[in-house]
Amino acid sequence: MAQSLKQAGVNIFNAIYGVVGVIGAIACLLMLLNWVTGNWLGRDDPKKIFFQALLGTALAFGIVAIIQFVKDMVGGSASGISNL
């Protein structure tokens, strides 16, 4: 049963990575399209918005990775640190 719970946790994090990836990709593509086509989204600098979308996607991936790392270290075996 513990193995199935662990697999469920892995599946959840894989789904989260997928969602973050899809949303980040859509946001970055829209901002790149906005930059290339002449800033139809508004008055802000389109390059700045594009790089903010890239940074936001990278931060989202980083946060999910940190949460998964902490979960693995806390929820793993007693010698979890030795797995590094």
Side-chain angles (χ1 to χ4, degrees):
M1 180 161 174
Q3 193 66 19
S4 66
L5 286 175
K6 182 177 180 178
Q7 187 60 38
V10 169
N11 290 341
I12 289 171
F13 273 98
N14 287 340
I16 291 172
Y17 278 124
V19 168
V20 167
V22 167
I23 291 173
I26 290 171
C28 290
L29 286 175
L30 280 176
M31 295 308 109
L32 182 62
L33 184 64
N34 177 50
W35 181 7
V36 171
T37 59
N39 195 21
W40 43 266
L41 280 179
R43 63 180 188 206
D44 289 335
D45 183 20
K47 291 177 280 201
K48 179 181 174 185
I49 297 172
F50 172 69
F51 288 115
Q52 286 175 343
L54 286 177
L55 179 63
T57 302
L59 285 174
F61 273 120
I63 290 169
V64 172
I66 289 170
I67 292 171
Q68 186 174 13
F69 176 77
V70 169
K71 178 190 73 71
D72 289 343
M73 289 299 106
V74 172
S77 65
S79 62
I81 293 295
S82 66
N83 292 334
L84 295 173

